[in-house]
Every structure is written in structure tokens, then in C-alpha cells.
Amino acid sequence: LALLATIWLFWNDWRSQGPEITISFAEAPGIQAGKTALIYRGVQAGEVISVRLDDNLRDVLVTVRLKAFAEDLA
């Protein structure tokens, strides 16, 4: 029973995930992977999963995992 519950929880979490997108910013103060949420019209539509500099060290690339309902934002 515990195994079935665990499988169901993982499957439900996987099903609620949408696509992963990367957004480029000139600056990204305060954005942190795993802590910053993507808010669209007052609703949490995703979460920041990584923050890094581009190859030219000019822009900040923020990777966001959208929720399934927000995949049209991509």
C-alpha cells in the first residue's frame, strides 16, 4: 500500500509539471533557484530552477519550470 501511494504521489507531481523555459535578463537581483516563483497575474505559474550567466557573461539566463496549466506562457 505504501509503494502504491508513493508511486501515485510521484506520478501526480510529474503530471502537474509543464515545460522548462529559459528567460534572458540584463540583471537578475534577488532571483534564486529553488526559492523564486514565477507569478503571472497573481498566480504561481512556475518556479526558478537555475540561474546562470550566458557564454558572453553579459546576460543572466533564468531557467523556469512551468506548471502544466501555464504551458501556453512558453
Side-chain angles (χ1 to χ4, degrees), residues 30-59:
I31 296 178
Q32 297 179 359
K35 294 184 180 180
T36 305
L38 172 69
I39 307 294
Y40 181 74
R41 296 189 179 202
V43 177
Q44 184 175 348
E47 184 176 338
V48 174
I49 57 174
S50 76
V51 179
R52 66 185 191 285
L53 293 173
D54 70 354
D55 293 337
N56 298 326
L57 304 177
R58 292 185 181 172
D59 291 325

Side-chain angles (χ1 to χ4, degrees), residues 14-30:
W14 176 78
R15 186 182 63 153
S16 69
Q17 291 183 357
E20 190 175 289
I21 61 171
T22 301
I23 308 167
S24 177
F25 294 101
E27 296 179 3

